C-alpha cells in the first residue's frame, strides 16, 4: 500500500503544542513549590488566630477598660479580642487553668495563686500596679494588727482583693472566725458602708482603689488611709508585693489630700496566657500594653510598664525576645497578615529546600520522559510486526500487518513534538520505513 504525500509529510508542533509542553513543566514546578510551602507552614507552625479571648474583671473595675483598650488596638491588625467579665483575678486564673474554658489570656493580680499549680502558664509581663489601700475610721493606727476585733470589708468572693486581704490579716494574727468580723463587700459597697459608719475598715485594691473613690472618702476627716510603715517587711515576706508611695497632695493639691506621704504596698497585675499563645499575637498584646500602660500616672513613671520582671509566672520566650529587640523588621514594615506569612515562610526555608530542590532535579527528567514516551510507545508495536513478518505468513496475514503498519505510520506523522526532539521523530519514521520494506520484500540500500 502506497501512502499519499500528505501522509508522508511530518507534522511538527505549532506554538500551542510547545506552550502546552512548557506549561506542563513549569506548572508542575509551581504546583510542587506551593504544595511544599503550604504543607510545611501548616504542619510546623500554624497561622496566627483571628480571634482570641481574654478574661478581664468586673465591669466597674480597672481590668475591664484595660482589656477593652487592648481590643481596640488589636482590631487595627484584624485580630478580634473577645473580653469576658469575671469576678476578678482568682476567677481569671481558674479559667486559664481549666482546659474546658475557651480563654487564651487574662489579667491576673499577684498574690492570688497560692495552692494552685501555675507552672503551665506564662506571663507577657506586668502591666500596672494594683495598690492595696486600707481605709479606716477612728483614731490613727500604725499597723494592721490594730484592726483586730473590728468590722473589716475584705472584698467579694473570687476577687484578688479578698485573697490578699486574708493573707495580710493572717500575717497580723487576724483570721476568719476570730475576734474580727470579715465582710465580703466589694469596692463600692465597702465605700458606702464605711462612709455610713457601719464598718470600721475596708480593703481597696486595684479595681476598687480608684482616685475618685479615695478622694471622696478621705474628704471625711474621720476616714484615714493606713500608712504601711512596715512596707519593707511586707515586701520581704510576700515577694509579689512592691513598696510604692502616695505623695502628699497627689489626690487633690488644693486641699492637700492626702496631707502626708502614705506608704503603700502593691502587687502587680500581669498579662498571663496559656503556653500555646501564638508568637505574633504575643507581640501584638505587648505592643498594646505599651500603648495603654506606658504613660506616667499617680503611681508609675513613664515607660515603667509593661515590665518583663518575673514575679509568680515565668516570662514567655516570645515576650522576652520582644522586650530585648522589639518587633522584627517584617512586622514593623508589612501588614500583620503579610508579615506573619513571610516570617513563617522564611523560618521554614531549610525544610522547604530539602524537599523542593531535589524535586527540581527530577522534573526535567520527567519532562524528557513525557516527550520521548510519545515516540517510544510505538516501538513495541513495530517489533511485534517485524517478528511476525519474519515468520512464514500468508498473504492475508501480510496484508493485515501492512494495514497495522499504515496505522502506525499515519499516527506517527500526526505526532506533535518539540523541535528539540526532531531527531528522535525522524529515527522513528526511518524505522517504520525499515519494517515496511521487510514486509514488502524490498531491500534497503546499504
Amino acid at each position: 500500500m502506497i501512502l499519499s504525500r500528505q501522509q508522508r509529510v511530518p507534522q511538527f508542533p505549532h506554538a500551542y503544542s510547545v506552550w502546552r509542553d512548557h506549561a506542563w513543566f513549569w506548572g508542575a514546578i509551581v504546583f510542587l513549590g506551593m504544595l511544599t510551602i503550604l504543607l510545611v507552614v501548616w504542619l510546623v507552625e500554624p497561622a496566627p488566630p483571628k480571634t482570641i479571648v481574654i478574661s478581664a474583671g468586673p465591669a466597674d473595675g480597672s481590668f475591664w477598660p484595660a482589656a477593652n483598650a487592648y481590643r481596640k488596638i488589636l482590631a487595627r491588625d484584624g485580630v478580634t479580642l473577645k473580653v469576658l467579665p469575671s469576678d476578678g483575678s482568682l476567677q481569671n486564673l481558674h479559667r486559664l487553668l481549666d482546659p474546658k474554658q475557651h480563654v487564651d489570656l487574662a489579667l491576673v493580680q499577684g498574690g492570688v495563686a497560692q495552692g494552685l499549680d501555675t507552672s503551665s502558664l506564662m506571663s507577657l509581663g506586668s502591666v500596672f500596679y494594683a495598690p492595696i489601700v486600707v481605709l479606716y475610721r477612728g483614731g490613727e493606727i500604725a499597723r494592721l494588727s490594730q484592726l483586730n476585733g473590728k468590722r473589716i470589708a475584705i472584698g467579694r468572693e473570687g476577687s484578688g482583693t479578698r485573697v490578699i486581704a486574708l493573707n495580710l490579716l493572717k500575717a497580723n494574727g487576724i483570721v476568719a472566725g476570730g475576734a474580727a468580723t470579715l465582710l465580703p463587700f466589694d469596692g463600692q459597697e465597702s465605700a458606702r458602708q464605711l462612709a455610713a459608719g457601719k464598718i470600721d475598715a475596708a480593703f481597696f485594691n486595684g479595681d476598687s482603689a480608684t482616685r475618685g473613690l479615695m478622694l471622696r472618702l478621705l474628704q471625711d476627716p474621720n476616714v484615714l488611709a493606713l500608712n504601711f510603715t512596715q512596707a519593707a517587711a511586707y515586701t520581704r515576706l510576700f515577694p509579689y508585693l512592691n513598696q510604692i508611695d502616695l505623695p502628699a497632695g497627689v489626690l487633690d493639691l488644693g486641699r492637700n489630700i492626702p496631707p502626708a506621704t502614705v506608704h503603700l504596698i502593691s502587687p502587680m497585675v500581669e498579662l498571663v496566657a496559656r503556653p500555646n499563645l501564638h508568637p505574633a499575637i504575643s507581640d501584638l498584646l505587648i505592643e498594646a500594653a505599651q500603648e495603654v500602660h506606658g504613660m506616667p500616672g499617680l503611681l508609675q513613671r513613664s515607660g515603667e510598664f509593661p515590665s518583663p520582671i518575673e514575679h509568680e509566672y515565668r516570662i514567655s520566650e516570645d515576650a522576652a525576645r520582644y522586650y530585648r529587640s522589639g518587633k522584627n523588621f517584617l512586622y514593623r514594615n508589612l501588614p500583620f497578615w503579610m508579615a506573619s506569612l513571610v516570617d513563617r515562610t522564611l523560618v521554614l526555608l531549610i525544610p522547604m529546600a530539602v524537599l523542593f530542590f531535589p524535586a527540581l532535579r527530577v522534573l526535567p527528567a520527567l519532562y524528557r520522559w513525557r516527550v520521548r514516551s510519545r515516540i517510544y510507545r510505538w516501538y513495541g508495536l513495530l517489533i511485534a510486526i517485524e517478528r511476525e513478518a519474519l515468520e512464514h505468513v500468508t498473504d492475508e496475514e501480510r496484508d493485515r500487518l501492512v494495514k497495522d503498519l499504515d496505522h502506525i505510520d499515519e499516527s506517527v506523522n500526526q505526532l506533535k513534538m518539540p523541535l528539540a526532539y526532531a531527531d528522535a521523530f525522524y529515527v522513528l519514521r526511518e524505522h517504520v520505513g525499515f519494517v515496511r520494506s521487510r514486509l514488502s520484500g524490498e531491500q534497503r540500500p546499504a
Side-chain angles (χ1 to χ4, degrees):
M1 178 178 180
I2 301 177
L3 297 177
S4 66
R5 178 178 177 81
Q6 183 179 4
Q7 288 177 304
R8 289 296 186 185
V9 176
Q11 299 182 18
F12 287 104
H14 48 71
Y16 168 78
S17 300
V18 176
W19 174 88
R20 184 173 59 184
D21 286 319
H22 285 288
W24 182 91
F25 176 70
W26 291 109
I29 292 179
V30 172
F31 174 77
L32 182 62
M34 294 300 296
L35 182 63
T36 302
I37 292 173
L38 290 175
L39 284 177
V40 175
V41 171
W42 177 262
L43 293 175
V44 177
E45 185 178 339
K50 295 183 178 180
T51 301
I52 57 174
V53 180
I54 183 172
S55 183
D60 59 351
S62 59
F63 289 10
W64 185 261
N68 278 281
Y70 301 159
R71 177 180 58 80
K72 294 177 182 177
I73 295 172
L74 264 62
R76 300 174 191 166
D77 291 299
V79 178
T80 300
L81 178 64
K82 292 184 178 180
V83 182
L84 300 182
S86 73
D87 291 330
S89 293
L90 189 57
Q91 186 179 19
N92 291 347
L93 192 57
H94 283 153
R95 283 176 174 175
L96 283 177
L97 293 172
D98 185 356
K100 296 180 181 179
Q101 295 283 339
H102 299 291
V103 173
D104 299 292
L105 68 153
L107 291 165
V108 180
Q109 177 181 287
V112 302
Q114 289 91 340
L116 298 174
D117 181 8
T118 60
S119 59
S120 63
L121 303 179
M122 62 184 188
S123 172
L124 305 186
S126 302
V127 290
F128 56 89
Y129 288 116
I132 299 167
V133 179
V134 179
L135 301 182
Y136 62 94
R137 300 185 68 88
E140 186 172 348
I141 63 175
R143 299 186 304 278
L144 277 178
S145 58
Q146 293 176 264
L147 292 178
N148 200 10
K150 305 291 187 179
R151 297 165 297 176
I152 310 170
I154 60 172
R156 73 177 75 166
E157 292 283 349
S159 67
T161 303
R162 183 182 183 87
V163 174
I164 293 181
L166 289 172
N167 289 336
L168 297 181
L169 290 173
K170 183 179 180 180
N172 284 274
I174 302 174
V175 295
T181 302
L182 306 183
L183 303 168
F185 298 150
D186 62 10
Q188 294 298 324
E189 182 62 23
S190 296
R192 287 192 291 269
Q193 296 284 340
L194 187 63
K198 296 181 179 179
I199 59 175
D200 303 301
F203 279 78
F204 299 92
N205 173 223
D207 285 355
S208 54
T210 63
R211 178 178 182 176
L213 182 144
M214 289 190 293
L215 186 60
R216 185 171 75 250
L217 291 175
L218 290 175
Q219 288 177 350
D220 185 341
N222 293 316
V223 177
L224 302 173
L226 178 65
N227 185 12
F228 282 87
T229 56
Q230 299 173 309
Y234 281 106
T235 60
R236 299 290 181 86
L237 294 172
F238 302 94
Y240 57 83
L241 293 177
N242 302 271
Q243 180 178 349
I244 57 177
D245 291 334
L246 194 66
V250 73
L251 298 179
D252 191 319
L253 285 172
R255 288 176 287 181
N256 195 33
I257 300 175
T261 297
V262 178
H263 300 295
L264 300 176
I265 53 177
S266 174
M268 289 184 178
V269 175
E270 295 188 62
L271 196 54
V272 182
R274 288 178 172 172
N276 60 349
L277 186 70
H278 195 281
I281 298 297
S282 172
D283 288 359
L284 285 182
L285 287 166
I286 298 174
E287 186 177 36
Q290 288 175 333
E291 185 173 337
V292 175
H293 308 293
M295 301 299 292
L298 292 179
L299 301 173
Q300 67 191 57
R301 300 181 300 276
S302 176
E304 185 174 356
F305 294 108
S307 169
I309 299 175
E310 290 194 13
H311 293 279
E312 295 176 278
Y313 311 93
R314 62 183 176 88
I315 297 294
S316 76
E317 294 181 2
D318 295 313
R321 182 259 310 155
Y322 185 94
Y323 286 114
R324 286 194 307 268
S325 56
K327 296 172 70 174
N328 65 32
F329 174 82
L330 294 174
Y331 285 96
R332 287 197 303 269
N333 296 279
L334 295 175
F336 176 74
W337 67 270
M338 184 181 298
S340 172
L341 177 61
V342 174
D343 185 38
R344 288 180 295 131
T345 302
L346 290 177
V347 170
L348 301 170
L349 278 179
I350 293 178
M352 283 172 55
V354 171
L355 295 174
F356 186 65
F357 287 107
L360 285 180
R361 300 178 62 181
V362 174
L363 284 175
L366 292 176
Y367 175 74
R368 289 193 297 271
W369 171 84
R370 179 177 183 271
V371 174
R372 290 186 178 275
S373 65
R374 301 178 191 173
I375 295 175
Y376 295 154
R377 64 193 182 97
W378 296 108
Y379 277 102
L381 295 175
L382 283 178
I383 291 173
I385 292 175
E386 184 179 16
R387 287 176 178 174
E388 191 172 351
L390 292 176
E391 300 175 357
H392 297 288
V393 294
T394 64
D395 292 340
E396 292 181 358
E397 290 174 338
R398 187 176 298 277
D399 291 341
R400 177 179 56 80
L401 293 177
V402 169
K403 290 181 180 179
D404 290 342
L405 190 61
D406 288 342
H407 173 72
I408 292 175
D409 198 9
E410 182 179 359
S411 299
V412 168
N413 286 331
Q414 293 178 357
L415 281 178
K416 296 182 182 297
M417 298 289 294
L419 292 177
Y421 296 88
D423 56 343
F425 175 82
Y426 278 108
V427 170
L428 174 61
R429 293 188 71 246
E430 185 174 324
H431 289 163
V432 172
F434 174 80
V435 174
R436 185 181 298 281
S437 67
R438 298 295 295 270
L439 283 174
S440 62
E442 298 176 356
Q443 296 294 325
R444 296 181 58 81

